[in-house]
Amino acid sequence: MGLRFCPLFSGSDGNCCFLEVDNRRYLIDAGFSGKKIEKNLKDLGVDPSSIDLIFLTHEHIDHIRGAGVLSRRYDIKLCTNVATFKAGMSILGKIKDENIVVIGTNKKHKFSLFDLHTMKISHDCAEGMGFVFHTDYGKISLLTDTGVVTNEMKEKIFDSKILYFEANHDVNMLINGPYDYSLKQRILSDVGHISNVTSGNVLSEVVTDKCKKIYLGHLSETNNAENVAYDEVFNILSRENLIKYSSLEVSRRFENSSLTEIK
Ligand SMILES: [Zn+2]
Ligand SMILES: [Zn+2]
């Protein structure tokens, strides 16, 4: 019994996190090929067929690429809101009716081992969500792919045990980087992504002494670097004297050592 959490993929090219609560196993997003997700699960010692359900944040390909394949291969349920199911249909492919679990945005949902609170993200997709899992072992919050973090969102993720939070880009690297003007504007906009500095500032408002682990996720391949994101957030959190409570880690590729266990 207990809780285990580990990012399996994280970045602009694909996102997928593993969550286990007692004897139940879940994925949050499945934005890599089914094969690669299977491999990382096996490396973690998890049989892919033991996954109960995949929560989907939104329909962008870096979040749902492998979801349909895994659902069909292992008879796994997919769970998201109606707008995301509709917008993601062509990538997801045919999903069995009984494997479609619809939840609402900005709602509280009761699952057997936790309550799930969903929050609307500000992103250029149909109706994306962030997730907060309220478990017996504490609160696990996942928030990426949003151009704005509102006070309401901060309240929801406040005091989490584990935070998986976006640090997408370094603003200077993005501005001086190779992306064309309109893409730069999109990333910087209210429906884009969270920069390193915003990530650090928001984290400094929501991290408490309860926090055991902070994962920085969804780093851009082009407009960020692991040490840049880490240093930026680390410096902000240490300035506020908050880093002593938790460990900070940048998630990019899967590592067994990234697993957090709570008993
Ligand atoms: Zn997205
Ligand atoms: Zn994304």
Side-chain angles (χ1 to χ4, degrees):
M1 293 303 210
L3 182 143
R4 301 198 298 157
F5 179 86
C6 186
L8 299 180
F9 291 98
S10 189
S12 308
D13 52 346
N15 297 277
C16 179
C17 290
F18 168 75
L19 172 69
E20 182 180 84
V21 186
D22 294 337
N23 51 357
R24 298 273 178 124
R25 290 158 166 187
Y26 309 90
L27 295 180
I28 298 98
D29 287 333
F32 242 89
S33 72
K35 264 207 172 67
K36 286 187 171 162
I37 293 171
E38 281 167 11
K39 187 189 176 299
N40 284 4
L41 282 170
K42 283 176 186 160
D43 287 349
L44 198 61
V46 174
D47 182 347
S49 68
S50 69
I51 300 291
D52 275 317
L53 187 145
I54 304 173
F55 294 97
L56 301 175
T57 58
H58 63 298
E59 75 280 10
H60 287 163
I61 192 147
D62 57 317
H63 295 263
I64 67 167
R65 189 183 274 121
V69 170
L70 291 173
S71 174
R72 285 184 288 279
R73 194 169 293 161
Y74 299 107
D75 208 18
I76 301 173
K77 292 180 166 43
L78 302 184
C79 177
T80 190
N81 56 42
V82 174
T84 302
F85 271 121
K86 278 193 182 153
M89 217 151 52
S90 60
I91 302 172
L92 291 172
K94 180 87 190 109
I95 305 298
K96 273 203 272 182
D97 285 351
E98 60 265 37
N99 282 341
I100 293 177
V101 180
V102 174
I103 52 173
T105 311
N106 289 329
K107 292 260 159 50
K108 297 175 186 176
H109 300 277
K110 267 210 162 323
F111 285 78
S112 54
L113 296 170
F114 49 79
D115 286 346
L116 172 65
H117 295 196
T118 60
M119 58 190 143
K120 190 172 185 319
I121 52 175
S122 176
H123 194 52
D124 52 359
C125 59
E127 191 182 309
M129 295 184 286
F131 295 132
V132 183
F133 296 88
H134 292 256
T135 76
D136 289 347
Y137 307 96
K139 194 154 126 178
I140 319 300
S141 299
L142 294 96
L143 183 57
T144 65
D145 299 78
T146 189
V148 175
V149 184
T150 62
N151 287 335
E152 204 186 327
M153 288 153 108
K154 288 177 200 164
E155 274 166 35
K156 281 188 172 153
I157 64 174
F158 181 76
D159 210 20
S160 296
K161 201 71 169 264
I162 298 174
L163 272 157
Y164 175 79
F165 197 76
E166 177 165 46
N168 177 259
H169 56 274
D170 173 83
V171 176
N172 285 324
M173 283 174 77
L174 175 67
I175 290 170
N176 299 312
Y179 283 10
D180 64 43
Y181 179 77
S182 61
L183 186 52
K184 287 178 184 175
Q185 291 308 115
R186 186 219 138 205
I187 293 168
L188 290 167
S189 77
D190 283 357
V191 291
H193 288 279
I194 301 172
S195 69
N196 294 340
V197 95
T198 305
S199 186
N201 287 335
V202 173
L203 286 168
S204 74
E205 290 180 58
V206 301
V207 167
T208 68
D209 57 359
K210 265 210 202 113
C211 186
K212 193 175 155 83
K213 183 87 176 198
I214 302 166
Y215 296 96
L216 297 180
H218 215 298
L219 267 72
S220 163
E221 293 290 326
T222 313
N223 307 308
N224 211 350
E226 285 172 50
N227 62 320
V228 174
Y230 184 93
D231 290 350
E232 185 83 72
V233 174
F234 184 89
N235 288 338
I236 296 172
L237 291 178
S238 353
R239 212 160 53 217
E240 306 291 329
N241 218 6
L242 288 164
I243 201 68
K244 61 186 177 198
Y245 302 125
S246 50
S247 65
L248 178 68
E249 180 176 320
V250 176
S251 307
R252 203 152 208 190
R253 63 199 68 76
F254 167 72
E255 279 164 55
N256 258 305
S257 57
S258 297
L259 183 73
T260 298
E261 290 188 82
I262 301 170
K263 299 270 176 215

